[in-house]
Amino acid sequence: MSSNAATPSFDWSKISTSTRIAGGGAIVLLISVFLSWIHASAGPITVSQSGWGAFNLGKLAALAALIAIVVIVLEQVRPDITLPVPPSLALLGCGAIGLFCALWHILFVPNAGVSGIDVGRGFGVFLAFIAAGVLTYGGWRRMNEA
């Protein structure tokens, strides 16, 4: 019994450099959402929050990274599936969303409203910004390949 459906396969040699750049950026963006985006300290006590735990824009950045990863995997494993938008445009859009989310939290640090409490940015938000930039660059580069 044979089937006409395409058999899922994965070949690393068929992945372009721009797709690898975008995929790497998406994976690092997803990981960075779970790192510290903000920290507050009052004397010897320091508390930090991840982008996922503290902010809705952090969750949006994670969603954008997941969509980018799904687009890349789907394109490589099932090339017979047609997406509603070109994959390069989807990657560029996901990167732009991630850039916006991270930049928002870099520029606008919440105020504690209490004297003696220092609120600052964590390492994860800067890593998210760089990773989203890499994802955006990979999508842009793919767009210009064809």
Side-chain angles (χ1 to χ4, degrees), residues 40-54:
S41 60
I45 300 171
T46 301
V47 178
S48 65
Q49 276 288 351
S50 67
W52 181 265

Side-chain angles (χ1 to χ4, degrees), residues 93-135:
C94 288
I97 289 169
L99 273 173
F100 170 77
C101 295
L103 185 62
W104 182 270
H105 286 289
I106 289 173
L107 295 177
F108 303 108
V109 177
N111 188 356
V114 179
S115 64
I117 297 179
D118 296 322
V119 179
R121 297 163 193 88
F123 170 74
V125 72
F126 294 107
L127 183 61
F129 182 75
I130 292 168
V134 170
L135 172 56

Side-chain angles (χ1 to χ4, degrees), residues 57-81:
L57 286 179
K59 292 174 183 157
L60 181 61
L63 179 63
L66 278 174
I67 290 171
I69 291 168
V70 167
V71 165
I72 291 170
V73 169
L74 202 63
E75 183 183 36
Q76 298 303 316
V77 175
R78 294 294 306 261
D80 58 322
I81 295 177

